[in-house]
Amino acid sequence: MHDTGGVKPDRAVVRDALAVGVAVGLSGFAFGVTSAGSGLSLPQTCALSLLVFTGASQFALVGALAAGGNPFTAAAGAFFLGVRNAFYGLRLSQLLALPRAVRPFAAQWVIDETTVVALAQPTRRAARIGFTVTGLSLYLLWNLTTLLGALGAEAIGDTEAWGLDAAGPAVFLALLAPMLKTSRERAVAGIAVLLGLGLLPVLPAGVPVLVAAAAAPVVLWAEGRRKTGDRETGDRAVNDSHDSHDSQRDQYGSQEEDR
């Protein structure tokens, strides 16, 4: 993207950014309910949304704790899920080119949704507007609905009796499913599910999530082997074709000499 790219009205950028911020921000209610149901206090639940502010990592953390996992294991799983935001930051730092003094504050809003909205814009100005509006609206609404969800969970008592313990995983899957567009991504997700569910009965809570992360390098390794095999097959086919042509030329030369 360059500043000389296509023009998009600021109003349209704000509209799209608000749509994303409101739609995703409402799912903070599910996190508040899930967190309170897993045993975290109201201050702890709100602190996670205020300070961590990355939905997948938050759901992974409280989910592992709810299953009886070790806090350090749960935190490790959440950390690995959040590492992707660091790579988003590398791309956004070039795209947005924010003043150095602003970057530490903007880093708090580097998540899936703000990255997608910013990268979808044709100009740097539009990217900055999209990033800011998405980040601000989502941050405010996510924290508000987290608070409401946690208060609601405390009011209704046992969340499992209402089936609300499934709200977190359901929201996480709803956010993840549309992102699986390529066969590689679907393969990683499928293997991760098999690893996570298969190891759930034999490993401590929270550990299967960490093992499931191995799905990505496994798929990349298999894909690399397949491409290498295809290249070798192609090279052999080319060599066989050349050998065939050489043999035909030699045979033709022998016939000429016999004549």
Side-chain angles (χ1 to χ4, degrees):
M1 286 184 224
H2 302 284
D3 289 330
T4 56
V7 176
K8 185 175 182 179
D10 293 350
R11 182 178 300 179
V13 178
V14 172
R15 179 198 61 210
D16 295 343
L18 282 176
V20 173
V22 172
V24 179
L26 291 174
S27 61
F29 182 82
F31 170 72
V33 171
T34 305
S35 180
S38 68
L40 271 69
S41 66
L42 179 62
Q44 289 173 328
T45 297
C46 292
L48 276 175
S49 284
L50 285 167
L51 302 177
V52 178
F53 187 55
T54 172
S57 296
Q58 292 178 229
F59 277 120
L61 177 64
V62 299
L65 292 176
N70 183 287
F72 294 102
T73 303
F79 171 79
F80 283 116
L81 281 174
V83 165
R84 69 191 188 282
N85 293 340
F87 295 98
Y88 295 161
L90 294 175
R91 179 67 183 94
L92 289 178
S93 65
Q94 299 174 350
L95 173 64
L96 301 177
L98 296 173
R100 190 175 299 274
V102 177
R103 292 179 186 178
F105 302 98
Q108 177 70 354
W109 292 351
V110 176
I111 54 176
D112 297 333
E113 292 76 17
T114 55
T115 302
V116 169
V117 172
L119 292 177
Q121 307 309 320
T123 65
R124 176 165 292 160
R125 172 184 170 82
R128 286 178 171 179
I129 294 174
F131 175 85
T132 303
V133 174
T134 304
L136 179 61
S137 60
L138 181 51
Y139 188 76
L140 293 176
L141 191 55
W142 177 268
N143 281 281
L144 175 61
T145 53
T146 293
L147 173 62
L148 295 177
L151 290 173
E154 290 184 352
I156 64 177
D158 185 9
T159 56
E160 292 187 9
W162 295 81
L164 295 178
D165 55 310
V171 171
F172 180 71
L173 290 176
L175 293 174
L176 176 65
M179 301 179 185
L180 305 178
K181 298 179 180 179
T182 67
S183 58
R184 177 194 299 172
E185 292 168 349
R186 289 189 288 269
V188 170
I191 295 175
V193 169
L194 292 177
L195 288 174
L197 294 179
L199 297 174
L200 194 60
V202 297
L203 293 178
V207 176
V209 175
L210 299 179
V211 178
V218 167
V219 170
L220 291 176
W221 174 82
E223 190 175 74
R225 288 292 301 270
R226 180 181 60 79
K227 290 181 178 179
T228 301
D230 291 344
R231 284 196 299 268
E232 291 177 350
T233 301
D235 292 341
R236 283 197 298 268
V238 172
N239 291 334
D240 291 344
S241 177
H242 289 165
D243 292 342
S244 176
H245 288 309
D246 292 341
S247 177
Q248 291 176 359
R249 284 197 300 268
D250 292 341
Q251 183 178 4
Y252 179 76
S254 297
Q255 291 175 352
E256 289 295 321
E257 290 176 0
D258 292 341
R259 290 197 190 103

